[in-house]
Amino acid sequence: NPSLIRHPLIMNTGSKMQEVTTMHLLERLPRETGRDYALRTIKENIISLDLAPGSLVSENELSAEMGLSRTPVRESLIELAKVKIVEIIPQKGSVVSRINYDLVEESRFMRNLLECAVVELVCDLASPMDIERLNSNIRLQGFYLDGYYTNELMTLDNQFHGMLFDIAKKGRVFQLIQNIAIHFDRVRGMALSSVKDLKVVQDHQELVEFIRQKDAKGARELMETHLNRYKIDASAIRETYPQYFK
């Protein structure tokens, strides 16, 4: 589980030091490169809204907080700028992009196409051990759902979907889509925080049962329903979080 060590990030603005935001540091994985660690940490904080839309982030301060040189942090910000989740402002720093619903929908559309195809493959390829791994993940999801631990539930949710790609032997595809998926994941996190009658864990349970029965049609239909549950009324979100939108 992530190590929730929270630190204020400070932006140097000439004669004043301004607190911009507070982020949490993740535990660095064995053999994880500095660039991968920086990218994973920054993305996690953007999805969790600890680096909220519109937040200023300093390359120097990010480097200091994560114990890295500036190069891997700069490379991570450039990577995120390519998918428009970060805007790099010369001489000033970087800004976490405000939510663009067109990019959210594009991200959801991509995941819907890929994951519906992947779950059909999983119905053919999943072993009893694979099914048990999926069920173990779901049991943890239920625990965190009952306790209403949003960040932990998001982590397990992502792991569940990553497992499906691995079982389908498409793990590299899952890694490739992570940057563009961040637009969808950020809004998905809002859903996990705000929707009381959440059907995410129930969907996962039913999905595994379709997989166990090798019912590819049922699994595909449920996956499409599952991903569409995160379609949130843009006007309602704007009303709750007006400062997060362009």
Side-chain angles (χ1 to χ4, degrees):
N1 288 335
S3 176
L4 299 180
I5 307 170
R6 297 185 181 273
H7 295 272
L9 290 179
I10 307 297
M11 179 72 73
N12 190 337
T13 55
S15 60
K16 295 182 179 180
M17 295 294 286
Q18 177 186 359
E19 183 174 61
V20 179
T21 188
T22 301
M23 66 176 286
H24 66 266
L25 298 181
L26 305 183
E27 183 178 348
R28 189 164 174 177
L29 302 175
R31 297 183 296 279
E32 187 174 32
T33 66
R35 178 189 174 281
D36 288 345
Y37 173 62
L39 184 60
R40 185 168 64 89
T41 300
I42 295 168
K43 284 170 58 179
E44 177 74 19
N45 278 272
I46 290 174
I47 291 170
S48 68
L49 304 180
D50 286 307
L51 292 178
S55 296
L56 289 170
V57 290
S58 161
E59 186 179 297
N60 287 334
E61 293 298 331
L62 285 171
S63 301
E65 293 298 334
M66 289 186 281
L68 301 170
S69 68
R70 290 178 58 186
T71 298
V73 173
R74 183 184 308 117
E75 290 175 347
S76 299
L77 292 173
I78 290 171
E79 188 72 18
L80 293 171
K82 289 178 182 177
V83 294
K84 301 184 184 302
I85 200 68
V86 166
E87 299 170 28
I88 298 175
I89 304 173
Q91 310 304 320
K92 290 187 178 181
S94 299
V95 178
V96 179
S97 300
R98 287 183 166 81
I99 294 170
N100 180 328
Y101 239 91
D102 288 340
L103 292 175
V104 171
E105 176 55 25
E106 186 175 343
S107 176
R108 189 207 60 80
F109 175 80
M110 176 194 64
R111 282 196 58 174
N112 187 68
L113 284 178
L114 289 172
E115 297 203 39
C116 286
V118 160
V119 78
E120 287 186 322
L121 294 174
V122 171
C123 287
D124 287 334
L125 297 173
S127 68
M129 185 176 296
D130 291 326
I131 291 172
E132 178 52 36
R133 286 176 58 233
L134 292 168
N135 280 326
S136 294
N137 175 280
I138 291 169
R139 285 192 288 272
L140 279 175
Q141 288 182 40
F143 172 79
Y144 285 119
L145 179 64
D146 290 341
Y148 214 62
Y149 295 103
T150 301
N151 288 342
E152 290 80 359
L153 185 57
M154 271 286 291
T155 299
L156 288 165
D157 191 332
N158 286 333
Q159 288 175 357
F160 178 87
H161 287 267
M163 285 181 196
L164 296 178
F165 278 81
D166 286 340
I167 295 168
K169 304 186 187 305
K170 298 293 183 288
R172 282 176 292 184
V173 175
F174 185 75
Q175 294 303 319
L176 286 171
I177 68 174
Q178 290 310 293
N179 282 354
I180 186 66
I182 193 172
H183 293 283
F184 179 54
D185 287 343
R186 185 162 57 166
V187 176
R188 190 159 60 101
M190 292 181 185
L192 290 173
S193 297
S194 60
V195 178
K196 301 301 182 183
D197 184 22
L198 203 61
K199 299 188 183 337
V200 175
V201 177
Q202 180 182 333
D203 283 351
H204 289 165
Q205 291 170 335
E206 293 177 3
L207 192 63
V208 172
E209 182 58 23
F210 279 127
I211 292 169
R212 190 186 67 78
Q213 295 176 6
K214 298 188 179 297
D215 183 347
K217 181 176 182 292
R220 182 186 184 97
E221 290 175 353
L222 179 55
M223 178 62 80
E224 186 165 6
T225 298
H226 176 64
L227 293 174
N228 283 336
R229 289 198 195 282
Y230 296 108
K231 280 190 171 180
I232 302 170
D233 185 347
S235 61
I237 290 290
R238 285 179 187 274
E239 184 176 345
T240 306
Y241 304 104
Q243 72 278 20
Y244 287 173
F245 286 81
K246 287 187 175 181

